Amino acid sequence: MKDLIGYCGMDCEKCDAYLATVHDDQALREKTAALWAELNHAPILPEHINCKGCRVDGVKTVYCESLCEIRRCAMKRGAATCGGCPELESCRTVGAILSHAPDALKNLKG
Protein backbone atom coordinates (compact mmCIF):
# COMPACT_ATOMS: atom_id res chain seq x y z
CA MET A 1 0.00 0.00 0.00
CA LYS A 2 1.36 3.40 -0.89
CA ASP A 3 2.33 5.72 1.97
CA LEU A 4 -0.16 8.39 0.98
CA ILE A 5 -3.18 6.23 1.70
CA GLY A 6 -4.38 7.45 5.07
CA TYR A 7 -5.16 5.24 8.05
CA CYS A 8 -8.82 5.52 6.99
CA GLY A 9 -8.16 4.54 3.38
CA MET A 10 -8.56 8.01 1.89
CA ASP A 11 -5.95 8.99 -0.70
CA CYS A 12 -3.96 11.89 0.75
CA GLU A 13 -2.69 12.76 -2.74
CA LYS A 14 -6.24 13.86 -3.62
CA CYS A 15 -6.72 16.01 -0.50
CA ASP A 16 -6.75 19.77 -1.04
CA ALA A 17 -4.59 20.33 2.05
CA TYR A 18 -1.94 17.99 0.65
CA LEU A 19 -2.14 19.55 -2.81
CA ALA A 20 -1.90 23.09 -1.41
CA THR A 21 1.15 22.06 0.62
CA VAL A 22 3.15 20.27 -2.06
CA HIS A 23 2.38 22.94 -4.68
CA ASP A 24 2.63 25.85 -2.21
CA ASP A 25 -0.72 27.03 -3.55
CA GLN A 26 -1.99 29.89 -1.39
CA ALA A 27 -5.24 30.27 -3.36
CA LEU A 28 -6.08 26.60 -2.74
CA ARG A 29 -5.20 27.02 0.96
CA GLU A 30 -7.61 29.94 1.22
CA LYS A 31 -10.39 28.14 -0.66
CA THR A 32 -9.95 24.97 1.43
CA ALA A 33 -9.83 26.88 4.73
CA ALA A 34 -13.06 28.70 3.88
CA LEU A 35 -14.83 25.49 2.89
CA TRP A 36 -13.61 23.48 5.87
CA ALA A 37 -14.47 26.34 8.27
CA GLU A 38 -18.00 26.41 6.89
CA LEU A 39 -18.45 22.63 6.93
CA ASN A 40 -17.04 22.23 10.43
CA HIS A 41 -18.33 25.45 11.98
CA ALA A 42 -14.79 26.09 13.17
CA PRO A 43 -12.22 28.84 12.76
CA ILE A 44 -10.00 27.24 10.12
CA LEU A 45 -7.50 29.63 8.57
CA PRO A 46 -5.34 29.27 5.45
CA GLU A 47 -2.24 28.81 7.60
CA HIS A 48 -3.87 25.68 9.03
CA ILE A 49 -3.98 24.10 5.57
CA ASN A 50 -0.62 22.35 5.42
CA CYS A 51 -0.29 18.57 5.29
CA LYS A 52 2.06 16.01 3.77
CA GLY A 53 -0.11 12.99 4.65
CA CYS A 54 -1.17 11.38 7.89
CA ARG A 55 1.12 8.34 7.71
CA VAL A 56 4.34 10.06 6.65
CA ASP A 57 6.75 12.40 8.40
CA GLY A 58 6.09 16.07 7.94
CA VAL A 59 3.51 18.72 8.62
CA LYS A 60 -0.14 17.78 9.14
CA THR A 61 -3.34 19.73 9.58
CA VAL A 62 -4.37 20.19 13.21
CA TYR A 63 -7.22 17.75 12.65
CA CYS A 64 -5.04 15.04 11.13
CA GLU A 65 -2.26 15.52 13.66
CA SER A 66 -4.22 15.45 16.89
CA LEU A 67 -7.99 15.21 16.46
CA CYS A 68 -8.56 12.34 14.03
CA GLU A 69 -9.93 9.41 16.04
CA ILE A 70 -9.15 7.01 13.20
CA ARG A 71 -5.46 7.96 13.17
CA ARG A 72 -5.26 7.82 16.97
CA CYS A 73 -6.84 4.35 17.08
CA ALA A 74 -4.60 2.92 14.36
CA MET A 75 -1.47 4.37 15.97
CA LYS A 76 -2.49 3.03 19.38
CA ARG A 77 -2.95 -0.42 17.86
CA GLY A 78 0.30 -0.17 15.91
CA ALA A 79 -1.56 -0.66 12.63
CA ALA A 80 -0.26 0.61 9.31
CA THR A 81 -3.88 1.39 8.34
CA CYS A 82 -7.35 0.27 9.36
CA GLY A 83 -7.13 -2.32 6.59
CA GLY A 84 -5.61 -4.97 8.83
CA CYS A 85 -8.09 -4.51 11.66
CA PRO A 86 -10.53 -7.40 12.14
CA GLU A 87 -13.20 -4.85 13.12
CA LEU A 88 -12.81 -2.82 9.91
CA GLU A 89 -16.27 -3.33 8.45
CA SER A 90 -18.15 -3.01 11.75
CA CYS A 91 -16.09 -0.14 13.18
CA ARG A 92 -18.04 3.02 13.95
CA THR A 93 -14.87 5.12 14.04
CA VAL A 94 -13.90 4.54 10.41
CA GLY A 95 -17.44 3.68 9.32
CA ALA A 96 -18.45 7.27 8.54
CA ILE A 97 -15.59 7.57 6.06
CA LEU A 98 -16.23 4.19 4.49
CA SER A 99 -19.95 4.81 4.04
CA HIS A 100 -19.29 8.04 2.10
CA ALA A 101 -16.10 7.04 0.29
CA PRO A 102 -16.26 3.53 -1.22
CA ASP A 103 -12.77 3.98 -2.67
CA ALA A 104 -11.39 4.22 0.86
CA LEU A 105 -12.52 0.68 1.63
CA LYS A 106 -11.10 -0.47 -1.68
CA ASN A 107 -7.77 1.19 -0.81
CA LEU A 108 -7.69 -0.49 2.60
CA LYS A 109 -8.42 -3.93 1.16
CA GLY A 110 -6.31 -3.47 -1.97
Side-chain angles (χ1 to χ4, degrees):
M1 176 179 303
K2 65 182 185 173
D3 288 340
L4 290 173
I5 295 297
Y7 290 99
C8 65
M10 297 292 289
D11 188 341
C12 294
E13 288 179 304
K14 294 178 181 176
C15 175
D16 285 342
Y18 174 83
L19 293 169
T21 302
V22 298
H23 297 294
D24 195 20
D25 185 335
Q26 188 61 23
L28 182 56
R29 273 190 191 92
E30 291 170 8
K31 176 184 168 191
T32 303
L35 176 62
W36 289 6
E38 181 182 328
L39 291 173
N40 294 289
H41 308 288
I44 299 172
L45 304 173
E47 54 266 27
H48 299 148
I49 307 299
N50 289 292
C51 194
K52 294 245 177 140
C54 71
R55 295 190 318 120
V56 297
D57 289 338
V59 66
K60 291 163 190 29
T61 65
V62 171
Y63 179 81
C64 294
E65 177 73 36
S66 57
L67 300 174
C68 178
E69 292 294 327
I70 297 166
R71 183 174 187 264
R72 282 199 268 184
C73 178
M75 291 177 71
K76 183 173 120 185
R77 293 175 180 232
T81 69
C82 295
C85 181
E87 300 169 30
L88 172 64
E89 296 198 42
S90 63
C91 178
R92 289 180 180 222
T93 305
V94 76
I97 297 285
L98 301 180
S99 67
H100 291 39
D103 284 347
L105 182 59
K106 197 181 323 176
N107 289 337
L108 290 172
K109 290 184 167 188

